[in-house]
């Protein structure tokens, strides 16, 4: 088979790395890809937003399956466009991608199907937001309705936070059209967990429950980032918790989407807050997570091509789907200054050594190859993943292996997995 992966981050590097292990694969392409995806397939210089050229490329090369990494093309309707040309593609249609594309849509669906989530109000104007937040007790969360590259949730702890949120949204228009509507929701206490289901709209399989680390610095300090590391399976996602997630979240959402006439096919990523053993939905994403992919995909033992191709063709084939029963940890190495402004073009050393290691896998993200050297080219430069028999070993080994990598300004969290390890008293 010939397969095209769309996107160019660590998630897409992980997808293509796993797809490359399938003996069904004849050739892999990645558009636009990065220095990491180029190790497993051919990068194609077409942006993820150029649907016409992507379709032309797929037709010209006779590509059998396209897998979409990021949310933007999904929310913009890439799957509908491919479907209209009868080209198999893994991901939800534009209407189904509304689960991530509009927080108001997701909230309404959850209310209708009794999916546990924080109580909320919708505000369509600045005056409405000011009225609803007037005298409301802190903390609470203001969220813009549309896509905001992971930066659209503002936790409001005091009057100062409220003022700066209003300024960002209305005076400085920082979120553009995404803030046409905003939500004010109660603050949820608990610990976060990411549960990803691969589904054809009716049947689904669960990937290993994972935990991301969104804050920039140790002990969850500093600003929110795209994610500084992940591990799986997270013990927080116990069989009991996962059963509740399936019963209270996944099944009702799939049922709701089907009843609306917009069945959801692809990856349903449930961003959850677990409080006293009960799951509450913080958000849905309609794609693989990043950096969750860097740990949940390596833990899939079976052939990823079978799984994704069956969903793209309309009927999930879960036969033979297996997880390895091992543990994975991924530590993200970021550019100095990230998630704020940072410089690009720093020379990265040590990567060749890591590529040769049998235990650690570097998944490259904001990283390019100039023909002789690897250079930083984004905020999150790469993730270093280790799969092992215990979580403790996976985490310690990831930290051990990443020591070979150096670039000016490099920073990373030193406490990935701390919640699970603290429970196991390794920390
Ligand atoms: P979102 O953009 O909805 O994924 O939110 C980003 C992050 O903000 C989440 O991963 C949480 O850490 C935090 N967050 C969002 N909504 C809530 C909430 N209702 N209560 C507590 N934390 C939240
Ligand atoms: N890890 C968070 C996300 O993929 O949105």
């Amino acid at each position: 088979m010939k397969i095209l992966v769309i996107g160019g981050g660590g998630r897409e590097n992980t997808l293509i790395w796993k797809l490359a292990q399938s003996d069904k694969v004849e050739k892999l392409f990645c558009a636009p890809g990065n220095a990491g995806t180029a190790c497993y397939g051919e990068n194609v210089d077409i942006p993820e937003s150029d649907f016409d050229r992507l379709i032309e490329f797929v037709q010209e090369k006779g590509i059998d399956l396209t897998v979409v990494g990021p949310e933007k093309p999904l929310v913009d309707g890439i799957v509908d466009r491919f479907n209209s040309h009868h080209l198999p593609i893994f991901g939800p249609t534009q209407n189904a991608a509304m689960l991530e594309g509009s927080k108001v849509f997701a909230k309404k669906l959850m209310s209708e199907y009794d999916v546990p989530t924080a109580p909320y109000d919708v505000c369509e104007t600045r005056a409405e937001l000011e009225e609803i937040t007037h005298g409301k007790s802190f903390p609470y969360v203001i969220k813009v309705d549309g896509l905001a590259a992971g930066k659209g949730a503002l936790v409001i702890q005091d009057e100062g936070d409220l003022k700066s949120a209003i300024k960002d949204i209305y005076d400085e228009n920082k979120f553009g059209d995404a803030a046409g509507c905003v939500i004010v929701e109660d603050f949820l206490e608990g610990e976060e967990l990411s549960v990803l289901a691969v589904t054809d709209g009716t049947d689904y399989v669960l990937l290993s429950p994972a935990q991301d680390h969104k804050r920039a610095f140790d002990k969850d300090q500093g600003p929110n980032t795209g994610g500084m590391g992940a591990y799986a399976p997270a013990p927080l996602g116990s069989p009991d918790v996962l059963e509740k997630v399936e019963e209270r979240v996944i099944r009702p959402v799939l049922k709701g989407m089907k009843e609306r006439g917009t069945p959801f096919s692809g990856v349903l990523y449930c961003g959850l807050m677990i409080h006293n053993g009960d799951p509450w939905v913080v958000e849905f994403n309609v794609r693989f997570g990043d950096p969750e992919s860097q740990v949940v995909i390596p833990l899939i033992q079976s052939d990823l091509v079978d799984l994704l191709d069956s969903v793209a063709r309309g009927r999930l084939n879960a036969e033979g789907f297996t997880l390895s029963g091992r543990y994975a940890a991924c530590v993200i190495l970021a550019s100095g200054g990230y998630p704020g402004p940072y410089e690009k073009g720093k020379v990265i050393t040590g990567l060749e050594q890591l590529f040769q290691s049998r235990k650690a896998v570097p998944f490259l993200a904001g990283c390019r190859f100039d023909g002789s050297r690897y250079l930083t080219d984004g905020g999150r430069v790469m993730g270093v993943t280790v799969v092992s028999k215990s979580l403790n070993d996976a985490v310690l080994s990831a930290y051990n292996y990443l020591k070979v990598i150096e670039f000016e300004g490099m920073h990373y969290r030193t406490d990935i997995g701390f919640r699970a390890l603290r429970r196991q008293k390794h920390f």
Side-chain angles (χ1 to χ4, degrees):
M1 281 177 76
K2 293 181 196 157
I3 303 179
L4 169 68
V5 174
I6 294 178
R11 164 184 48 212
E12 289 75 22
N13 190 166
T14 315
L15 279 165
I16 212 162
W17 167 85
K18 177 68 181 167
L19 293 169
Q21 293 167 16
S22 168
D23 54 18
K24 300 198 170 72
V25 169
E26 177 195 334
K27 173 119 199 197
L28 292 165
F29 298 92
C30 194
N34 64 28
T37 62
C39 301
Y40 307 98
E42 183 181 326
N43 284 348
V44 184
D45 190 17
I46 306 176
E48 62 187 45
S49 55
D50 195 340
F51 299 171
D52 288 336
R53 279 180 64 206
L54 288 169
I55 287 170
E56 221 173 273
F57 180 78
V58 164
Q59 288 173 329
E60 189 188 298
K61 294 284 179 191
I63 284 167
D64 305 285
L65 171 67
T66 299
V67 179
V68 187
E71 63 276 14
K72 183 81 170 62
L74 294 168
V75 170
D76 289 343
I78 192 169
V79 169
D80 309 66
R81 289 289 307 282
F82 271 60
N83 284 345
S84 70
H85 288 85
H86 308 288
L87 299 171
I89 184 162
F90 177 84
T93 59
Q94 186 166 30
N95 284 332
M98 289 276 280
L99 272 177
E100 178 168 358
S102 165
K103 303 237 187 238
V104 176
F105 172 89
K107 280 292 199 181
K108 284 188 175 151
L109 187 91
M110 285 190 271
S111 304
E112 222 177 295
Y113 286 84
D114 288 329
V115 176
T117 187
Y120 71 103
D121 286 295
V122 179
C123 309
E124 290 184 358
T125 61
R126 178 184 188 135
E128 270 177 40
L129 178 62
E130 284 170 345
E131 192 188 317
I132 277 166
T133 51
H134 183 74
K136 185 173 170 71
S137 51
F138 304 114
Y140 53 86
V141 186
I142 297 181
K143 292 182 177 181
V144 302
D145 179 48
L147 293 185
K151 299 185 179 75
L154 309 166
V155 177
I156 309 297
Q157 310 269 15
D158 52 36
E159 282 298 335
D161 289 344
L162 175 60
K163 274 207 182 99
S164 70
I166 290 177
K167 187 167 148 232
D168 286 352
I169 296 170
Y170 297 108
D171 296 333
E172 295 187 359
N173 199 23
K174 272 197 186 157
F175 301 98
D177 291 347
C181 254
V182 304
I183 279 178
V184 180
E185 73 175 26
D186 288 2
F187 186 84
L188 294 168
E189 301 287 346
E191 204 179 307
E192 284 185 77
L193 183 72
S194 306
V195 177
L196 281 65
V198 177
T199 177
D200 61 9
T202 306
D203 296 317
Y204 60 88
V205 291
L206 290 190
L207 305 186
S208 303
Q211 198 164 53
D212 186 6
H213 299 66
K214 288 208 165 79
R215 300 297 197 98
F217 309 125
D218 286 3
K219 302 202 172 74
D220 285 342
Q221 301 297 306
N224 261 330
T225 68
M228 294 297 287
Y231 67 96
L236 179 66
S238 64
D240 178 52
V241 165
L242 291 184
E243 209 177 296
K244 289 177 187 165
V245 174
E246 290 185 62
E247 187 191 314
R248 300 178 192 174
V249 181
I250 295 173
R251 287 201 284 269
V253 166
L254 294 182
K255 178 168 179 271
M257 294 302 281
K258 223 166 35 177
E259 286 177 358
R260 288 186 75 257
T262 55
F264 184 92
S265 158
V267 177
L268 178 63
Y269 166 136
C270 308
L272 306 162
M273 196 66 85
I274 309 298
H275 185 58
N276 293 334
D278 287 318
W280 295 79
V281 175
V282 173
E283 62 163 346
F284 289 117
N285 294 319
V286 297
R287 48 166 176 83
F288 286 102
D290 191 336
E292 286 91 336
S293 295
Q294 288 86 317
V295 290
V296 301
I297 291 173
L299 293 176
I300 299 174
Q301 191 163 43
S302 43
D303 192 329
L304 187 62
V305 175
D306 290 341
L307 188 69
L308 304 188
D309 188 49
S310 68
V311 169
R313 286 164 204 280
R315 187 83 190 86
L316 173 81
N317 178 6
E319 215 177 289
F321 170 77
T322 45
L323 298 176
S324 69
R326 292 159 73 86
Y327 292 82
C330 172
V331 182
I332 300 290
L333 308 182
S335 292
Y338 174 80
Y342 55 84
E343 288 176 15
K344 293 182 183 177
K346 306 293 179 195
V347 176
I348 303 167
T349 55
L351 248 182
E352 287 78 6
Q353 217 177 317
L354 211 49
F355 274 127
Q356 274 156 26
S357 121
R358 269 198 263 143
K359 199 163 175 184
V361 191
F363 290 125
L364 308 189
C367 186
R368 71 186 172 85
F369 188 62
D370 73 355
S372 60
R373 300 167 308 173
Y374 286 96
L375 303 168
T376 66
D377 199 33
R380 291 189 294 174
V381 175
M382 74 182 79
V384 177
T385 292
V386 171
V387 175
S388 187
K389 58 187 183 318
S390 74
L391 184 60
N392 191 39
D393 187 61
V395 170
L396 291 179
S397 301
Y399 280 113
N400 221 4
Y401 280 96
L402 68 77
K403 282 190 206 141
V404 303
I405 302 288
E406 281 180 30
F407 57 86
E408 192 191 312
M410 176 172 106
H411 79 93
Y412 57 87
R413 278 182 61 158
T414 66
D415 64 348
I416 298 306
F418 77 96
R419 288 196 172 82
L421 296 179
R422 194 170 54 195
R423 278 200 189 93
Q424 296 171 2
K425 301 202 190 328
H426 283 302
F427 216 80

